[in-house]
Each structure stands twice: as C-alpha cells, then as structure tokens.
Amino acid sequence: MTLIIRALQFCARHGRWGLVVGLVCGLALPGLATAMRPWLPHMVAGLLVVTAFRIGYRASVGQVRSLPRVLSEVLVLQFGLPLLAYGIVLAFGLTGSIAALAIVLMLSAPSISGSPNFAILMGHDPAPAMQILVVGTGLFPLTSIAVLFLIGPDLGIEDGALSTGVGLIIVILAATSVGFALRALLLPDPSDTQLQSLDGLGVLALAVIVVGLMAGIRPVLDKSPLALAGWVVLVFVANFGLQLVAYLATRNIVPDKRAPPLSIIAGNRNVALFLLALPADVTDLLLVFIGCYQLPMYLTPLLMRRVLKDC
C-alpha cells in the first residue's frame, strides 16, 4: 500500500507531464485508442467519481451562497458566448463551414469533467470549477436548445438533443453523488498526504482517458497531414485564446480564486457530448475536431499555468 501511495504522490507532483504522456500514447498507439473509445463514457463517469471524492460536497456544491454567481457564469459561458460566436459566423458568411460550427458547438458545451483536476494541477482552488461543472451540465439541455435551433439547419441536427442532455445529467449527478458519499463515509477529514494521493489518482484517470479521445486524429494524420495541421491551429487558437481573454476580462471583477478556474473552463468544454445528437456525415469531421481539441486541452496545465497567474 505504501508503494501505491508513493506512486500516486509521484503522479501528483508531475501531473502536468503525465497528461503529456497520455497525449503521446494516444498518438503512438492508435489501435489502443480505437479499442478504448467505446469505454469513454464509463471512464468519464469514473473520473467524476474520483474528482467528487477528492473535493468533497462541502467544498463544491455545498456552498449554497455561491449558486447565484455560478448560474451567471454558466449562462455567460454556455449561452452568451455561443450566441455571440454564431452572430460572428453569420456576419462573415461562415454557416457552411464545419470548423466555424464546431467552435459554436464547443462554446455551448459544459465544462470538461476534468476541469477541477486541471485547477489542482495549476495550483488553484478546484471548488469553483466543480461548481461550474455540476451546474453547467445540469443546465446543458436548456442552454444548448437555442444554439441547436440556430445551427440545426446547417448541420442537419434533428430532435434528440434534449433527451441526450437529460441522460447526461443523470450520469453526472449519479457519479458525483457516489463520490461525495464515499468521501463522507471513508475520508471525512483527509490529511495532506491523502489529498495528494487522490490528486495523483485524478492525473492517472485523465491520462488514460485522453488515449481514447485521440482515436480520431491518427487516420487524418496518415491521409492528409496539412488538413490536420489546420485543425490543430484552429483548436489551439480557440482554446488558449478563450482562456486568456476570459482571464483578462474577469480577473478584476470576480474573486481572485474564481478567475483562473473560470478561464480554464472558458476554453475547455466537453464538446464530445454532442456526438450523440449529430448526424453521421457530421460526426466524422467532428471527431477530428474533438481529437485535435485534446492537444491544447491536456497541455493547458503545462502551458497556461504561468499565464493565468502572471497576466
């Protein structure tokens, strides 16, 4: 047991590089990535359990007084930003561009499930990220309706997005409830050593999940490297750009501990949720976007740590 604890603590200390290892494995082992893809929903749910266990109920959704602020943040992120982006798409006549529509979809998605883990790796309080994750996912069916209604004619999206969102709510609430319950029963007052071990477990879970998420990249790399390069540039600009703009815009108007997690989430969204609602002819292209999107996402703790402190 001591060896396992030491290994988890090592992962926690070097977590940012552990995520890079996961990215490399996803690119280098396409067969493994493809085999893992069907298990991604289960792994994401497992990550939510680990994250909720690490943070605990009182430090996240237990802070009822934070709910009005969290609601306003979620509405800006998942409703205001995608509508603004779609307005830009319309203004420039880009409604026929799958890349432009993918960005709009990304902006309407809730936080990635690993955002609290990212906040921990970057030296910030994970509780605000957990609050936005839970509330944002709960409101996802409502906030996404307007966006899906607007871009539906361009993508061919039909009914089913709402039921998909409800199913996601059930999964996330169940996973976080299990994590909170386990924390209350098994580790109500954890030591610093125990918390560090849980941080290491979260890093391992993230590194494993990204291998499966990279399944869409390798086929495009083999077939059209230039096309893949274009997707990579797009996702880096979108992800890191959103984080930087969000941080500069909020650091002086929200409490200090909330600005970095809010900025992390601004650029890192769970766009994969839309795979269940999109038609097959769009899914293949979106899989490439999702695979490339993992690159800036999993490099966020390594490359944006200092940026979100020094700006």
Side-chain angles (χ1 to χ4, degrees), residues 243-256 258-260 262-263:
Q243 291 188 62
L244 180 59
V245 171
Y247 186 69
L248 293 175
T250 62
R251 62 177 177 172
N252 294 323
I253 61 176
V254 301
D256 290 339
R258 297 195 71 86
L262 181 63
S263 303

Side-chain angles (χ1 to χ4, degrees), residues 99 103 106-107 228-246 263-264 266-268 289 292-297 299-300 303-304 307:
I103 295 295
M106 179 267 288
L107 288 172
L228 181 62
W231 282 105
V232 170
V233 171
L234 173 68
V235 295
F236 267 94
V237 171
N239 189 311
F240 288 170
L242 281 166
Q243 291 188 62
L244 180 59
V245 171
S263 303
I264 292 169
N268 292 286
F289 176 84
C292 293
Y293 192 58
Q294 307 311 306
L295 297 173
M297 183 186 299
L299 289 174
T300 287
L303 300 182
M304 297 298 289
V307 174

Side-chain angles (χ1 to χ4, degrees), residues 2-197:
T2 301
L3 183 61
I4 295 176
I5 292 175
R6 289 179 179 176
L8 291 176
Q9 291 174 343
F10 177 85
C11 291
R13 289 194 300 269
H14 304 282
R16 294 184 298 277
W17 291 105
L19 299 183
V20 175
V21 171
L23 285 174
V24 173
C25 290
L27 287 171
L29 302 171
L32 178 61
T34 302
M36 292 175 62
R37 209 163 103 187
W39 296 96
L40 284 175
H42 306 82
M43 290 188 287
V44 170
L47 175 62
L48 281 173
V49 173
V50 172
T51 302
F53 186 85
R54 160 61 177 86
I55 299 173
Y57 178 80
R58 286 180 298 176
S60 54
V61 295
Q63 299 179 1
V64 178
R65 64 180 180 275
S66 299
L67 185 58
R69 179 184 292 118
V70 176
L71 284 172
S72 64
E73 292 168 347
V74 167
L75 289 176
V76 170
L77 289 171
Q78 297 178 208
F79 187 73
L81 288 183
L83 291 185
L84 175 62
Y86 187 69
I88 295 174
V89 169
L90 282 177
F92 285 90
L94 298 174
T95 54
S97 168
I98 187 65
L101 296 176
I103 295 295
V104 176
L105 280 177
M106 179 267 288
L107 288 172
S108 65
S111 165
I112 59 169
S113 56
S115 60
N117 303 83
F118 281 17
I120 292 170
L121 291 173
M122 298 169 72
H124 301 296
D125 183 3
M130 189 67 177
Q131 294 166 356
I132 296 173
L133 167 64
V134 173
V135 176
T137 304
L139 292 179
F140 169 64
L142 299 177
T143 58
S144 64
I145 287 176
V147 177
L148 292 174
F149 176 78
L150 288 173
I151 67 175
D154 300 309
L155 287 177
I157 298 176
E158 308 206 351
D159 296 338
L162 183 59
S163 60
T164 298
V166 171
L168 291 168
I169 293 174
I170 294 173
V171 172
I172 286 196
L173 289 180
T176 51
S177 297
V178 170
F180 290 149
L182 289 175
R183 170 67 178 267
L185 291 173
L186 303 179
L187 212 62
D189 190 20
S191 65
D192 291 341
T193 298
Q194 290 170 325
L195 289 177
Q196 189 179 35
S197 298

